[in-house]
Amino acid sequence: MKKNMVGKVSKEQTMKVTKLILKIIIGFVILQMIYLLASEKLPKDISLGETKEIGRMGDHAQGNYVLYTNRNTILNAPFVFGARLYLYDIEKDKSYLIKNQKLPFQEWDSEMCFAGGQILAYGGAGMGGPPPDIRLLSLNGKEQELQLDVSAYGVLLSKSKVYYAERERDSAGKWHMNAGRMDIKTGEKEILLQRGEYAFESFYIYGNNLLAIDENENKLIVKNLSTGKESEDEFYEGLYPVQILEKTNQTVIIIGLDEKEVWKAVEYNLESKQGREITTLRSGRDDIYYLWDNSTYKDGCLYCNDVNDNLVRVDVDTGKRKIIVEASQMGGDMSDCIVSYCTDYIAIEAYYEHIKKLLIFDYDGKLVKKMGLL
């Protein structure tokens, strides 16, 4: 009888302890969720300084701030199921939480656009593919879902507009490629440029000019958005453009390859239609060369990767080239790297020693900070 009583008391105590543990766990989860919801809305000491009027997908930096994402794990408190989006202040070495994904398997795509005080990102449950929803975020966590098809190409972002390339079929059943513009507030859409199907997948807007590469006609299209005037330029000396960077209102830097598969950087004047070669980035067919998505022009220099995936600085006037960050300093495997150009720093997200890290260099190539990511 005494044994039964002891067993009964022991079971009751076990039940009480189990219930207490469950209550603590539930309370902990609720507190975390409250914290995470509140932390998105908390005031943030963010002063961007230098900002972009129009940003492209892949532009993750403004001023000395850069975006990055972290997955959530059970060891990463406060724990939530989805991934987190942060803005990192390099000068203060401080991260600000911008937005959480709250549900299991929800992610942020690796490519985003940061322009002004807004972030355009693809989010949601990717399930092995890109996340399906196009979201516009403010720095205080306010979110707006944009009514754009996830298949839209080459998205650009300004303060009040989203620009995109999209395939569309007309009433006669014929397919076209459109460069369009959507008002963020009203959702009203406008076609800026139309060409044949698959003519282009992206375009650029520099000042009042829209630039697109017509792959069907092998021509550079330039449209003045103020006057509506269009011109079609033959490629400079047979150079096929892969990237176009703004230098001045009427001058661009074109990176591409010629008929002999030689990679070059060329300065090209849109008015005079005259160009000059700056440098050769790859001269041999036997070398494999993948140009990173976001080269840039800054303070008289072109920044891009060379054939060995070193980050190089090219003086545009003289063509003199200098390696500022070697591939080995970035981990060697640059296939999935994300390079962002801040005012005073270059932020590189790459797999360093098999671990995803955010590496911060100054413009002389000195490693300033190194931060592990999940």
Side-chain angles (χ1 to χ4, degrees):
M1 182 73 177
K2 195 172 182 181
K3 280 187 179 181
N4 290 339
M5 287 295 294
V6 171
K8 188 175 181 181
V9 170
S10 178
K11 285 181 180 178
E12 287 177 353
Q13 287 176 339
T14 302
M15 288 294 292
K16 285 181 180 179
V17 171
T18 302
K19 286 180 180 179
L20 180 61
I21 291 172
L22 286 172
K23 285 179 180 178
I24 290 172
I25 292 172
I26 292 169
F28 181 63
V29 170
I30 291 171
L31 286 173
Q32 287 183 89
M33 294 305 296
I34 292 171
Y35 167 79
L36 289 165
L37 288 168
S39 60
E40 294 174 357
K41 312 295 182 184
L42 290 175
K44 301 175 177 69
D45 184 19
I46 297 173
S47 179
L48 295 175
E50 184 181 60
T51 59
K52 301 180 180 75
E53 289 187 17
I54 295 182
R56 293 178 54 80
M57 294 303 289
D59 287 345
H60 292 187
Q62 287 186 110
N64 285 321
Y65 295 79
V66 63
L67 296 171
Y68 72 90
T69 61
N70 258 348
R71 293 180 297 107
N72 278 277
T73 72
I74 195 68
L75 301 176
N76 185 23
F79 171 73
V80 291
F81 288 107
R84 306 177 189 178
L85 173 61
Y86 290 96
L87 183 64
Y88 179 54
D89 184 334
I90 297 172
E91 295 282 345
K92 295 179 181 177
D93 193 22
K94 183 175 181 180
S95 294
Y96 297 97
L97 177 65
I98 301 299
K99 197 69 179 177
N100 277 297
Q101 299 280 19
K102 310 292 192 303
L103 298 176
F105 311 113
Q106 287 196 328
E107 304 169 354
W108 295 110
D109 193 47
S110 60
E111 196 172 53
M112 294 168 278
C113 176
F114 185 24
Q118 301 181 114
I119 301 162
L120 193 148
Y122 289 82
M127 298 299 183
D133 302 322
I134 304 177
R135 301 179 183 180
L136 185 67
L137 307 169
S138 62
L139 297 182
N140 63 7
K142 186 178 178 182
E143 181 178 348
Q144 176 184 346
E145 189 169 331
L146 297 177
Q147 299 306 310
L148 278 180
D149 194 294
V150 72
S151 63
Y153 304 100
V155 179
L156 310 174
L157 174 67
S158 71
K159 184 177 181 180
S160 60
K161 310 285 185 185
V162 174
Y163 299 81
Y164 58 94
E166 190 175 54
R167 285 177 68 227
E168 185 179 62
R169 188 161 58 181
D170 61 22
S171 56
K174 186 177 181 181
W175 286 94
H176 299 280
M177 203 72 203
N178 296 334
R181 175 169 63 190
M182 185 183 81
D183 187 284
I184 291 172
K185 188 175 181 180
T186 66
E188 183 178 350
K189 295 181 179 180
E190 173 188 4
I191 295 176
L192 303 175
L193 181 71
Q194 187 174 83
R195 284 295 186 274
E197 186 179 11
Y198 301 118
F200 54 86
E201 290 189 355
S202 64
F203 57 92
Y204 305 81
I205 294 180
Y206 296 135
N208 288 323
N209 291 318
L210 182 154
L211 292 84
I213 302 162
D214 190 326
E215 297 180 9
N216 296 336
E217 300 292 333
N218 287 336
K219 291 180 179 178
L220 174 65
I221 307 165
V222 181
K223 179 173 181 177
N224 188 303
L225 296 178
S226 296
T227 64
K229 182 182 177 182
E230 291 184 25
S231 66
E232 294 184 350
D233 299 359
E234 298 290 340
F235 293 157
Y236 170 78
E237 293 187 356
L239 186 78
Y240 178 82
V242 175
Q243 286 184 28
I244 303 175
L245 310 173
E246 182 180 31
K247 184 174 184 284
T248 68
N249 285 340
Q250 292 299 326
T251 307
V252 294
I253 294 172
I254 298 175
I255 304 175
L257 65 165
D258 66 14
E259 295 165 346
K260 295 181 180 178
E261 298 184 16
V262 174
W263 282 82
K264 297 177 180 178
V266 169
E267 183 176 342
Y268 185 76
N269 188 289
L270 299 173
E271 280 189 344
S272 67
K273 305 188 187 306
Q274 298 296 312
R276 67 173 184 89
E277 184 176 326
I278 299 169
T279 190
T280 297
L281 296 171
R282 191 208 73 169
S283 57
R285 289 190 179 191
D286 295 333
D287 296 324
I288 298 173
Y289 179 56
Y290 297 103
L291 182 68
W292 294 344
D293 290 338
N294 51 344
S295 308
T296 197
Y297 171 79
K298 180 179 172 65
D299 299 331
C301 293
L302 166 66
Y303 293 85
C304 62
N305 62 311
D306 65 12
V307 69
N308 296 313
D309 275 344
N310 302 307
L311 178 60
V312 298
R313 178 174 61 214
V314 181
D315 187 303
V316 170
D317 289 334
T318 65
K320 185 178 179 181
R321 184 170 56 187
K322 179 181 179 182
I323 296 174
I324 56 172
V325 181
E326 294 182 358
S328 59
Q329 293 176 266
M330 299 177 274
D333 180 8
M334 304 306 296
S335 56
D336 294 317
C337 73
I338 299 172
V339 182
S340 301
Y341 301 94
C342 306
T343 301
D344 301 305
Y345 305 97
I346 302 169
I348 301 175
E349 192 176 307
Y351 281 90
Y352 183 84
E353 297 174 345
H354 309 292
I355 299 171
K356 187 180 177 183
K357 292 189 178 179
L358 183 64
L359 309 171
I360 309 296
F361 297 89
D362 64 20
Y363 277 90
D364 290 322
K366 179 183 177 182
L367 181 63
V368 178
K369 291 184 175 74
K370 182 165 58 177
M371 180 169 64
L373 304 178
L374 295 172

